[in-house]
Amino acid sequence: MTAEAVVVKEVHVAVAVVIRDGRVLIARRPDHVHQGGLLEFPGGKVEPGETVQQALVREIGEETGLTVPEGSLEPVIGIRHDYGDKRVFLDVWSTTEAQGQARGCEGQPVDWLLPEALADDAFPAANRPIIRALRLPSTLPITGEIADIAEGLEKLSRSLENVMSPLLVLRSPALDSDAYCRLAEEAVALTGDHCGVIVHGAPGIFESVAGASGLHLPWREAEKLMARPVPGGVWLGVSCHNADEIAHAVRLGADYVTLGPVAETATHPGEPGIGWSAFQDIVDSAPVPVYGLGGLGRDQVAEAKVAGAQGVAGIRFWWPSN
């Protein structure tokens, strides 16, 4: 006897990140519903015939009493999550232009919280990538090649005014591990409160650099691992080139990944990138924030977001060439 395949329908859910004065509107789920007692963002199912923007305007109004101009909504992240008995696609958009006084129109408590106050265990698991996306910048600067510590620190000092990001990735494969750790310790001291330094390399690098804000794993290091190599309170990024590598990064507990090259790069002239279409196809199934990497600049952040990305990562838009 042949068993019939069970088809689990995917539910399209519109999720709203409503921001006012740097704070995010959240609500608490009623105790009697699925995952009751946890926090959530406003939103609900996209009804037949609705666009996701129309659904968000309707849901925000019904749940919170706020009025949102449809044109003010911007994409944040798309997340597919399998609960076993059902699958959901969380289509997440943000707005800073909600008008009115927020209230729990369905009896739910509502509050405005800073992104830093959004704790993972207070939300359903499917919402956690949203929290990452809210905390991560739209541009992720990466240092260019550093072969000399003093020269690299001088370039970093000159470039800090161009960072325009609370984080940067300190990449220097030309240095051995001891020299890199000396560079990283100096970089952490140099950047101070201006931005956090994410070190790049093997897990032991992070353990050796006091004050680092996280670890970015090149794929050659990530593929060796079976579990998250750093604590949950710091950033973990992974360099990826395809969907399978992203899936492995997710299993490691990565907070974000880079994907590329999207376009031709100066280091590989004549070699085309994957392009935005292929990039979007991969990002559509990625349950973590994804940065486009390779031949991109700040002026392509909006294009990257349309393709589902967190933003762009790279060197040339901030690091001096000499």
Side-chain angles (χ1 to χ4, degrees):
M1 182 173 65
T2 302
E4 293 185 3
V6 177
V7 178
V8 180
K9 184 179 179 181
E10 183 178 83
V11 181
H12 187 185
V13 179
V15 179
V17 177
V18 182
I19 302 170
R20 180 176 288 174
D21 298 326
R23 295 175 182 267
V24 180
L25 181 65
I26 57 90
R28 187 173 298 278
R29 295 175 65 84
D31 291 335
H32 65 277
V33 304
H34 179 62
Q35 298 188 317
L38 295 178
L39 301 180
E40 66 177 357
F41 301 93
K45 293 180 184 178
V46 178
E47 300 295 344
E50 277 188 322
T51 66
V52 64
Q53 295 91 342
Q54 290 169 340
L56 285 167
V57 170
R58 174 179 54 77
E59 289 285 350
I60 293 170
E62 292 174 355
E63 294 183 18
T64 71
L66 295 173
T67 301
V68 174
E70 190 174 314
S72 73
L73 292 159
E74 298 182 353
V76 175
I77 191 172
I79 305 161
R80 284 184 164 83
H81 191 82
D82 191 341
Y83 285 102
D85 59 337
K86 68 175 181 178
R87 296 174 185 163
V88 297
F89 172 54
L90 302 182
D91 203 347
V92 188
W93 294 64
S94 69
T95 180
T96 59
E97 298 182 25
Q99 301 167 3
Q101 186 69 32
R103 63 187 189 279
C105 297
E106 299 170 349
Q108 77 279 27
V110 298
D111 199 1
W112 297 92
L113 297 180
L114 290 169
E116 294 76 18
L118 305 179
D120 281 354
D121 57 6
F123 287 80
N127 283 202
R128 292 171 189 174
I130 305 174
I131 298 173
R132 303 290 181 277
L134 293 178
R135 292 177 178 170
L136 285 165
S138 59
T139 57
L140 183 63
I142 302 173
T143 58
E145 190 61 64
I146 298 174
D148 178 83
I149 293 176
E151 181 181 333
L153 291 171
E154 191 275 330
K155 279 191 174 184
L156 178 58
S157 179
R158 280 194 285 134
S159 303
L160 282 179
E161 64 182 33
N162 296 322
V163 170
M164 298 175 63
S165 168
L167 295 168
L168 66 83
V169 176
L170 185 70
R171 182 179 180 274
S172 183
L175 298 178
D176 62 35
S177 59
D178 289 342
Y180 178 84
C181 287
R182 293 197 300 273
L183 169 70
E185 288 170 354
E186 293 283 352
V188 168
L190 177 63
T191 56
D193 296 332
H194 187 85
C195 65
V197 175
I198 297 176
V199 294
H200 182 276
I205 294 290
F206 174 80
E207 297 165 4
S208 301
V209 180
S213 295
L215 171 68
H216 189 100
L217 294 166
W219 175 248
R220 65 179 182 275
E221 297 293 342
E223 66 179 338
K224 304 173 188 175
L225 302 175
M226 298 301 292
R228 184 181 174 97
V230 293
V234 300
W235 293 108
L236 177 63
V238 179
S239 294
C240 298
H241 309 87
N242 55 52
D244 289 341
E245 293 181 4
I246 291 178
H248 181 69
V250 171
R251 290 191 292 271
L252 295 182
D255 299 302
Y256 71 89
V257 301
T258 59
L259 174 63
V262 177
E264 181 180 320
T265 65
T267 54
H268 297 85
E271 296 182 20
I274 62 175
W276 285 120
S277 178
F279 178 91
Q280 183 168 359
D281 288 343
I282 297 172
V283 172
D284 279 348
S285 59
V288 291
V290 179
Y291 285 98
L293 176 72
L296 305 177
R298 284 196 186 103
D299 57 343
Q300 289 162 294
V301 167
E303 188 175 9
K305 286 182 173 291
V306 169
Q310 174 73 18
V312 301
I315 299 169
R316 68 180 179 87
F317 62 78
W318 79 289
W319 190 253
S321 58
N322 51 47

